[in-house]
Amino acid sequence: MASFDDDARPSHAPVQPGSGKNASVQPGSGTFAPEPAAQASEPARDAPEPARDASLKQATYRDIFAVALGYIPLGMGMGMALAGAGIDWWWAPVWAIVLYSGAMQFLLVPLVAAQEPLAAIALATVLLQFRHVFYALAFPLDLVRGKLARIYTAFAVTDEAYALITSRRRSELSSWRIVTTLAGCHLSWIVGCTIGALVGLAVPIDDAILNFVLTALFVVLMIESYRSNRARTELLLAGVIAVLALFIPTDLMLASALGLFTILLVVKHQLNARRLGVDA
Amino acid sequence: MTSEYILAAMLVTGVITFVLRVAPYAFVARVQNSAILDYLARSMPAGVMLILVIYTLATVDFQNASSWLPPIVGIATTAALHLWIRQTLISLIGGTAAFALVFTLLT
């Protein structure tokens, strides 16, 4: 994969006026101490970087702290749902390390509990995770040095990490800062999922309640997606398809609804393109 | 639910997620210029989430209020909290608490 070699592609500086202003303020007034553990994730570097600067370090730890405040409770909910569904608790940290995706891990619990066929799980994964393709458009991966660090970085760009990194000015970022931020967020997610699974084992909560966290998570993600794109016709179409799909057997429902939705969107796009005389 | 099945499900999910996250950097220029991918990126996410919301309700019995009332109250609370405060964690905790309250009262 050629683009994981250094300097393989031109850089696009994300222009976010007004964002990231607080990254350089208040040296020495950080509210929590830098954690030496984060040093372990440093990528190989051949040149000194501005992120070594103490205030940038503190800004990085503040960013991680902000994401961890959300990731630890959400990860705990994930771990509890997993343990509540009767899946061995140690899958919680394994999934957190290997998958590192909140929505996908939450969805995988009922899919696995229902023994869905692997093909249905694969289709659900493609459609739920497809949004990641577009994170590549604006993420400053070219700042990260070292092939392994780049691959890890591309892997670890979750919704929150994407929002966090792309809201910073390019001049505030460095290889060290990006990799440390992503590794710190990942670590907080692993800790949250593990604690949740152990708590779930010790304090059994009715799994109907834990399963509802997934429904609520998708409601929130739907509102956020709708806010950024306002695709009203498509949302309505998805609703009609999903309600109709309730009448077919449950194990076919998700794959059929997602598959039909994708096909109809492609058809709609092709028809629009033809009408406008645009070559799609 | 054997460990082999859970491992296989995790690997399928993990490989696809990894490829979707990592591969696009090799094709950034092409992805940037694809009209259909651009359209799908804008129009799909909210719809996919709605399908997933309804999928999670597949086992609900709509003839039976003690089955459908808790998720409907929970969804309404989650959506209202999120439209109002827009803090994911508050929406999730509030919505799940509302679900748990109605669920406990009715069962």
Side-chain angles (χ1 to χ4, degrees), chain A residues 53-80:
Chain A
D53 178 75
S55 69
L56 274 185
K57 260 191 176 177
Q58 281 192 354
T60 304
Y61 297 133
R62 266 201 302 272
D63 282 350
I64 295 172
F65 184 71
V67 172
L69 275 185
Y71 269 15
I72 289 180
L74 189 63
M76 285 178 66
M78 197 283 127
M80 288 166 81

PDB file of all heavy atoms in Angstrom, chain A residues 53-80:
ATOM      1  N   ASP A  53       6.977  20.002  22.882  1.00  0.00           N
ATOM      2  CA  ASP A  53       6.714  21.191  23.665  1.00  0.00           C
ATOM      3  C   ASP A  53       5.655  20.885  24.733  1.00  0.00           C
ATOM      4  O   ASP A  53       4.651  20.248  24.461  1.00  0.00           O
ATOM      5  CB  ASP A  53       6.223  22.251  22.682  1.00  0.00           C
ATOM      6  CG  ASP A  53       5.854  23.529  23.358  1.00  0.00           C
ATOM      7  OD1 ASP A  53       6.763  24.256  23.754  1.00  0.00           O
ATOM      8  OD2 ASP A  53       4.650  23.755  23.511  1.00  0.00           O
ATOM      9  N   ALA A  54       5.910  21.365  25.974  1.00  0.00           N
ATOM     10  CA  ALA A  54       5.060  20.962  27.098  1.00  0.00           C
ATOM     11  C   ALA A  54       3.595  21.349  26.928  1.00  0.00           C
ATOM     12  O   ALA A  54       2.701  20.585  27.275  1.00  0.00           O
ATOM     13  CB  ALA A  54       5.606  21.561  28.386  1.00  0.00           C
ATOM     14  N   SER A  55       3.323  22.520  26.357  1.00  0.00           N
ATOM     15  CA  SER A  55       1.928  22.940  26.270  1.00  0.00           C
ATOM     16  C   SER A  55       1.169  22.078  25.257  1.00  0.00           C
ATOM     17  O   SER A  55      -0.002  21.764  25.455  1.00  0.00           O
ATOM     18  CB  SER A  55       1.826  24.413  25.888  1.00  0.00           C
ATOM     19  OG  SER A  55       2.256  24.596  24.563  1.00  0.00           O
ATOM     20  N   LEU A  56       1.845  21.674  24.180  1.00  0.00           N
ATOM     21  CA  LEU A  56       1.186  20.796  23.214  1.00  0.00           C
ATOM     22  C   LEU A  56       0.941  19.425  23.816  1.00  0.00           C
ATOM     23  O   LEU A  56      -0.071  18.787  23.548  1.00  0.00           O
ATOM     24  CB  LEU A  56       2.015  20.674  21.937  1.00  0.00           C
ATOM     25  CG  LEU A  56       1.762  21.773  20.901  1.00  0.00           C
ATOM     26  CD1 LEU A  56       2.528  21.500  19.632  1.00  0.00           C
ATOM     27  CD2 LEU A  56       0.281  21.903  20.591  1.00  0.00           C
ATOM     28  N   LYS A  57       1.875  18.985  24.651  1.00  0.00           N
ATOM     29  CA  LYS A  57       1.680  17.711  25.346  1.00  0.00           C
ATOM     30  C   LYS A  57       0.441  17.778  26.205  1.00  0.00           C
ATOM     31  O   LYS A  57      -0.393  16.881  26.184  1.00  0.00           O
ATOM     32  CB  LYS A  57       2.887  17.423  26.248  1.00  0.00           C
ATOM     33  CG  LYS A  57       3.864  16.446  25.636  1.00  0.00           C
ATOM     34  CD  LYS A  57       4.853  16.028  26.696  1.00  0.00           C
ATOM     35  CE  LYS A  57       5.789  14.981  26.152  1.00  0.00           C
ATOM     36  NZ  LYS A  57       6.806  14.595  27.122  1.00  0.00           N
ATOM     37  N   GLN A  58       0.331  18.862  26.954  1.00  0.00           N
ATOM     38  CA  GLN A  58      -0.840  18.995  27.824  1.00  0.00           C
ATOM     39  C   GLN A  58      -2.123  19.052  27.029  1.00  0.00           C
ATOM     40  O   GLN A  58      -3.133  18.457  27.413  1.00  0.00           O
ATOM     41  CB  GLN A  58      -0.702  20.257  28.673  1.00  0.00           C
ATOM     42  CG  GLN A  58       0.217  20.023  29.836  1.00  0.00           C
ATOM     43  CD  GLN A  58       0.135  21.143  30.837  1.00  0.00           C
ATOM     44  OE1 GLN A  58      -0.528  22.142  30.605  1.00  0.00           O
ATOM     45  NE2 GLN A  58       0.809  20.984  31.955  1.00  0.00           N
ATOM     46  N   ALA A  59      -2.090  19.762  25.896  1.00  0.00           N
ATOM     47  CA  ALA A  59      -3.295  19.841  25.057  1.00  0.00           C
ATOM     48  C   ALA A  59      -3.680  18.446  24.584  1.00  0.00           C
ATOM     49  O   ALA A  59      -4.864  18.095  24.542  1.00  0.00           O
ATOM     50  CB  ALA A  59      -3.040  20.766  23.874  1.00  0.00           C
ATOM     51  N   THR A  60      -2.669  17.642  24.247  1.00  0.00           N
ATOM     52  CA  THR A  60      -2.933  16.267  23.794  1.00  0.00           C
ATOM     53  C   THR A  60      -3.596  15.450  24.897  1.00  0.00           C
ATOM     54  O   THR A  60      -4.587  14.761  24.663  1.00  0.00           O
ATOM     55  CB  THR A  60      -1.604  15.607  23.373  1.00  0.00           C
ATOM     56  OG1 THR A  60      -0.997  16.425  22.376  1.00  0.00           O
ATOM     57  CG2 THR A  60      -1.826  14.206  22.822  1.00  0.00           C
ATOM     58  N   TYR A  61      -3.060  15.555  26.127  1.00  0.00           N
ATOM     59  CA  TYR A  61      -3.640  14.786  27.227  1.00  0.00           C
ATOM     60  C   TYR A  61      -5.046  15.268  27.551  1.00  0.00           C
ATOM     61  O   TYR A  61      -5.912  14.477  27.906  1.00  0.00           O
ATOM     62  CB  TYR A  61      -2.738  14.850  28.467  1.00  0.00           C
ATOM     63  CG  TYR A  61      -1.381  14.232  28.228  1.00  0.00           C
ATOM     64  CD1 TYR A  61      -0.208  14.876  28.603  1.00  0.00           C
ATOM     65  CD2 TYR A  61      -1.269  12.994  27.589  1.00  0.00           C
ATOM     66  CE1 TYR A  61       1.032  14.318  28.363  1.00  0.00           C
ATOM     67  CE2 TYR A  61      -0.039  12.430  27.333  1.00  0.00           C
ATOM     68  CZ  TYR A  61       1.117  13.093  27.728  1.00  0.00           C
ATOM     69  OH  TYR A  61       2.334  12.543  27.469  1.00  0.00           O
ATOM     70  N   ARG A  62      -5.263  16.574  27.410  1.00  0.00           N
ATOM     71  CA  ARG A  62      -6.626  17.095  27.627  1.00  0.00           C
ATOM     72  C   ARG A  62      -7.599  16.505  26.609  1.00  0.00           C
ATOM     73  O   ARG A  62      -8.727  16.166  26.950  1.00  0.00           O
ATOM     74  CB  ARG A  62      -6.639  18.624  27.524  1.00  0.00           C
ATOM     75  CG  ARG A  62      -6.483  19.332  28.857  1.00  0.00           C
ATOM     76  CD  ARG A  62      -6.997  20.761  28.778  1.00  0.00           C
ATOM     77  NE  ARG A  62      -6.325  21.552  27.757  1.00  0.00           N
ATOM     78  CZ  ARG A  62      -5.203  22.244  27.971  1.00  0.00           C
ATOM     79  NH1 ARG A  62      -4.666  22.258  29.155  1.00  0.00           N
ATOM     80  NH2 ARG A  62      -4.660  22.924  26.997  1.00  0.00           N
ATOM     81  N   ASP A  63      -7.161  16.411  25.348  1.00  0.00           N
ATOM     82  CA  ASP A  63      -8.010  15.826  24.299  1.00  0.00           C
ATOM     83  C   ASP A  63      -8.371  14.384  24.644  1.00  0.00           C
ATOM     84  O   ASP A  63      -9.522  13.974  24.522  1.00  0.00           O
ATOM     85  CB  ASP A  63      -7.268  15.819  22.949  1.00  0.00           C
ATOM     86  CG  ASP A  63      -7.256  17.194  22.292  1.00  0.00           C
ATOM     87  OD1 ASP A  63      -7.969  18.089  22.784  1.00  0.00           O
ATOM     88  OD2 ASP A  63      -6.530  17.359  21.298  1.00  0.00           O
ATOM     89  N   ILE A  64      -7.353  13.613  25.057  1.00  0.00           N
ATOM     90  CA  ILE A  64      -7.591  12.209  25.391  1.00  0.00           C
ATOM     91  C   ILE A  64      -8.577  12.125  26.550  1.00  0.00           C
ATOM     92  O   ILE A  64      -9.517  11.333  26.542  1.00  0.00           O
ATOM     93  CB  ILE A  64      -6.266  11.502  25.758  1.00  0.00           C
ATOM     94  CG1 ILE A  64      -5.349  11.448  24.529  1.00  0.00           C
ATOM     95  CG2 ILE A  64      -6.529  10.090  26.290  1.00  0.00           C
ATOM     96  CD1 ILE A  64      -3.942  10.951  24.841  1.00  0.00           C
ATOM     97  N   PHE A  65      -8.373  12.981  27.549  1.00  0.00           N
ATOM     98  CA  PHE A  65      -9.232  12.983  28.729  1.00  0.00           C
ATOM     99  C   PHE A  65     -10.687  13.247  28.328  1.00  0.00           C
ATOM    100  O   PHE A  65     -11.605  12.575  28.797  1.00  0.00           O
ATOM    101  CB  PHE A  65      -8.732  14.041  29.722  1.00  0.00           C
ATOM    102  CG  PHE A  65      -9.486  14.069  31.017  1.00  0.00           C
ATOM    103  CD1 PHE A  65      -9.348  13.038  31.933  1.00  0.00           C
ATOM    104  CD2 PHE A  65     -10.326  15.129  31.317  1.00  0.00           C
ATOM    105  CE1 PHE A  65     -10.043  13.061  33.130  1.00  0.00           C
ATOM    106  CE2 PHE A  65     -11.024  15.162  32.509  1.00  0.00           C
ATOM    107  CZ  PHE A  65     -10.881  14.118  33.418  1.00  0.00           C
ATOM    108  N   ALA A  66     -10.885  14.215  27.413  1.00  0.00           N
ATOM    109  CA  ALA A  66     -12.243  14.560  26.984  1.00  0.00           C
ATOM    110  C   ALA A  66     -12.918  13.367  26.315  1.00  0.00           C
ATOM    111  O   ALA A  66     -14.089  13.078  26.574  1.00  0.00           O
ATOM    112  CB  ALA A  66     -12.207  15.753  26.028  1.00  0.00           C
ATOM    113  N   VAL A  67     -12.181  12.659  25.442  1.00  0.00           N
ATOM    114  CA  VAL A  67     -12.775  11.507  24.767  1.00  0.00           C
ATOM    115  C   VAL A  67     -13.002  10.375  25.771  1.00  0.00           C
ATOM    116  O   VAL A  67     -14.044   9.706  25.759  1.00  0.00           O
ATOM    117  CB  VAL A  67     -11.890  11.036  23.590  1.00  0.00           C
ATOM    118  CG1 VAL A  67     -12.403   9.724  23.007  1.00  0.00           C
ATOM    119  CG2 VAL A  67     -11.867  12.106  22.503  1.00  0.00           C
ATOM    120  N   ALA A  68     -12.052  10.174  26.695  1.00  0.00           N
ATOM    121  CA  ALA A  68     -12.177   9.081  27.675  1.00  0.00           C
ATOM    122  C   ALA A  68     -13.408   9.277  28.563  1.00  0.00           C
ATOM    123  O   ALA A  68     -14.048   8.298  28.965  1.00  0.00           O
ATOM    124  CB  ALA A  68     -10.913   8.996  28.531  1.00  0.00           C
ATOM    125  N   LEU A  69     -13.757  10.530  28.853  1.00  0.00           N
ATOM    126  CA  LEU A  69     -14.956  10.797  29.658  1.00  0.00           C
ATOM    127  C   LEU A  69     -16.192  10.196  29.006  1.00  0.00           C
ATOM    128  O   LEU A  69     -17.130   9.789  29.688  1.00  0.00           O
ATOM    129  CB  LEU A  69     -15.169  12.310  29.799  1.00  0.00           C
ATOM    130  CG  LEU A  69     -14.420  13.015  30.904  1.00  0.00           C
ATOM    131  CD1 LEU A  69     -14.843  14.479  30.960  1.00  0.00           C
ATOM    132  CD2 LEU A  69     -14.692  12.343  32.246  1.00  0.00           C
ATOM    133  N   GLY A  70     -16.215  10.157  27.675  1.00  0.00           N
ATOM    134  CA  GLY A  70     -17.330   9.525  26.982  1.00  0.00           C
ATOM    135  C   GLY A  70     -17.102   8.047  26.747  1.00  0.00           C
ATOM    136  O   GLY A  70     -18.022   7.237  26.853  1.00  0.00           O
ATOM    137  N   TYR A  71     -15.841   7.677  26.431  1.00  0.00           N
ATOM    138  CA  TYR A  71     -15.560   6.291  26.033  1.00  0.00           C
ATOM    139  C   TYR A  71     -15.654   5.308  27.195  1.00  0.00           C
ATOM    140  O   TYR A  71     -16.050   4.158  26.993  1.00  0.00           O
ATOM    141  CB  TYR A  71     -14.151   6.198  25.420  1.00  0.00           C
ATOM    142  CG  TYR A  71     -14.134   6.384  23.921  1.00  0.00           C
ATOM    143  CD1 TYR A  71     -15.226   6.917  23.246  1.00  0.00           C
ATOM    144  CD2 TYR A  71     -13.024   6.020  23.169  1.00  0.00           C
ATOM    145  CE1 TYR A  71     -15.202   7.083  21.880  1.00  0.00           C
ATOM    146  CE2 TYR A  71     -12.991   6.182  21.796  1.00  0.00           C
ATOM    147  CZ  TYR A  71     -14.088   6.716  21.154  1.00  0.00           C
ATOM    148  OH  TYR A  71     -14.060   6.865  19.812  1.00  0.00           O
ATOM    149  N   ILE A  72     -15.268   5.733  28.393  1.00  0.00           N
ATOM    150  CA  ILE A  72     -15.272   4.770  29.499  1.00  0.00           C
ATOM    151  C   ILE A  72     -16.703   4.367  29.862  1.00  0.00           C
ATOM    152  O   ILE A  72     -17.012   3.175  29.874  1.00  0.00           O
ATOM    153  CB  ILE A  72     -14.416   5.275  30.681  1.00  0.00           C
ATOM    154  CG1 ILE A  72     -12.938   5.198  30.237  1.00  0.00           C
ATOM    155  CG2 ILE A  72     -14.667   4.460  31.944  1.00  0.00           C
ATOM    156  CD1 ILE A  72     -11.932   5.652  31.246  1.00  0.00           C
ATOM    157  N   PRO A  73     -17.636   5.329  30.075  1.00  0.00           N
ATOM    158  CA  PRO A  73     -19.012   4.878  30.349  1.00  0.00           C
ATOM    159  C   PRO A  73     -19.656   4.144  29.168  1.00  0.00           C
ATOM    160  O   PRO A  73     -20.353   3.137  29.371  1.00  0.00           O
ATOM    161  CB  PRO A  73     -19.768   6.165  30.676  1.00  0.00           C
ATOM    162  CG  PRO A  73     -18.850   7.286  30.449  1.00  0.00           C
ATOM    163  CD  PRO A  73     -17.470   6.766  30.284  1.00  0.00           C
ATOM    164  N   LEU A  74     -19.402   4.620  27.934  1.00  0.00           N
ATOM    165  CA  LEU A  74     -20.011   3.947  26.785  1.00  0.00           C
ATOM    166  C   LEU A  74     -19.434   2.533  26.634  1.00  0.00           C
ATOM    167  O   LEU A  74     -20.158   1.569  26.369  1.00  0.00           O
ATOM    168  CB  LEU A  74     -19.760   4.761  25.509  1.00  0.00           C
ATOM    169  CG  LEU A  74     -20.510   4.291  24.265  1.00  0.00           C
ATOM    170  CD1 LEU A  74     -22.017   4.402  24.470  1.00  0.00           C
ATOM    171  CD2 LEU A  74     -20.093   5.082  23.036  1.00  0.00           C
ATOM    172  N   GLY A  75     -18.109   2.421  26.842  1.00  0.00           N
ATOM    173  CA  GLY A  75     -17.468   1.108  26.788  1.00  0.00           C
ATOM    174  C   GLY A  75     -18.015   0.187  27.874  1.00  0.00           C
ATOM    175  O   GLY A  75     -18.207  -1.014  27.652  1.00  0.00           O
ATOM    176  N   MET A  76     -18.293   0.779  29.054  1.00  0.00           N
ATOM    177  CA  MET A  76     -18.874  -0.037  30.127  1.00  0.00           C
ATOM    178  C   MET A  76     -20.237  -0.569  29.713  1.00  0.00           C
ATOM    179  O   MET A  76     -20.554  -1.745  29.950  1.00  0.00           O
ATOM    180  CB  MET A  76     -18.969   0.778  31.424  1.00  0.00           C
ATOM    181  CG  MET A  76     -17.618   0.957  32.103  1.00  0.00           C
ATOM    182  SD  MET A  76     -17.748   1.980  33.591  1.00  0.00           S
ATOM    183  CE  MET A  76     -18.736   0.912  34.641  1.00  0.00           C
ATOM    184  N   GLY A  77     -21.047   0.281  29.071  1.00  0.00           N
ATOM    185  CA  GLY A  77     -22.346  -0.172  28.574  1.00  0.00           C
ATOM    186  C   GLY A  77     -22.176  -1.310  27.584  1.00  0.00           C
ATOM    187  O   GLY A  77     -22.900  -2.309  27.619  1.00  0.00           O
ATOM    188  N   MET A  78     -21.152  -1.180  26.716  1.00  0.00           N
ATOM    189  CA  MET A  78     -20.868  -2.219  25.727  1.00  0.00           C
ATOM    190  C   MET A  78     -20.499  -3.529  26.416  1.00  0.00           C
ATOM    191  O   MET A  78     -21.026  -4.593  26.095  1.00  0.00           O
ATOM    192  CB  MET A  78     -19.706  -1.725  24.849  1.00  0.00           C
ATOM    193  CG  MET A  78     -19.494  -2.432  23.544  1.00  0.00           C
ATOM    194  SD  MET A  78     -18.704  -4.006  23.760  1.00  0.00           S
ATOM    195  CE  MET A  78     -19.866  -5.001  22.867  1.00  0.00           C
ATOM    196  N   GLY A  79     -19.594  -3.444  27.396  1.00  0.00           N
ATOM    197  CA  GLY A  79     -19.151  -4.640  28.103  1.00  0.00           C
ATOM    198  C   GLY A  79     -20.291  -5.305  28.872  1.00  0.00           C
ATOM    199  O   GLY A  79     -20.409  -6.533  28.907  1.00  0.00           O
ATOM    200  N   MET A  80     -21.153  -4.475  29.458  1.00  0.00           N
ATOM    201  CA  MET A  80     -22.284  -5.020  30.212  1.00  0.00           C
ATOM    202  C   MET A  80     -23.275  -5.707  29.274  1.00  0.00           C
ATOM    203  O   MET A  80     -23.803  -6.778  29.596  1.00  0.00           O
ATOM    204  CB  MET A  80     -22.977  -3.901  31.016  1.00  0.00           C
ATOM    205  CG  MET A  80     -22.149  -3.430  32.196  1.00  0.00           C
ATOM    206  SD  MET A  80     -22.735  -1.871  32.890  1.00  0.00           S
ATOM    207  CE  MET A  80     -24.065  -2.472  33.907  1.00  0.00           C
TER     208      MET A  80
END
